Amino acid sequence: ERCQKVCPHNQTAKPTEEVLLQPKDDFLAMRKEDWHNLSLDKYRNIFKDSAVKRVKYEGLIRNIKIAEDNSK
């Protein structure tokens, strides 16, 4: 997130209006507790046809736990 905020290319970037690149409503509705209770089915639904699937469910869960530990 810090990298995105300080990147000079992002200072003038405009949000895309491309429908296919918009986040799904289910993703936008996720809260911290939802991420900690993310089921495999919910993961598959939210990230269907997404590059996030490259990390796989187990990798995403691992990253969520690491992010939580780093925020303490």
Side-chain angles (χ1 to χ4, degrees):
E1 184 178 345
R2 280 187 201 155
C3 293
Q4 295 297 325
K5 288 181 181 178
V6 300
C7 176
H9 298 286
N10 289 340
Q11 303 306 315
T12 57
K14 296 177 182 150
T16 184
E17 294 181 17
E18 175 59 51
V19 175
L20 294 174
L21 297 177
Q22 298 302 314
K24 295 180 181 180
D25 290 336
D26 286 348
F27 175 79
L28 294 174
M30 293 287 285
R31 300 291 177 246
K32 186 175 182 178
E33 183 178 310
D34 299 325
W35 288 109
H36 291 291
N37 297 314
L38 184 64
S39 69
L40 181 57
D41 287 338
K42 183 83 171 175
Y43 162 83
R44 286 178 176 156
N45 181 46
I46 290 174
F47 298 111
K48 183 179 187 326
D49 300 323
S50 166
V52 174
K53 290 200 70 178
R54 284 186 234 153
V55 74
K56 299 190 177 26
Y57 174 74
E58 294 79 12
L60 182 60
I61 296 300
R62 178 199 65 226
N63 291 347
I64 290 168
K65 289 178 182 176
I66 290 170
E68 178 68 20
D69 290 344
N70 288 340
S71 69
K72 292 180 183 177

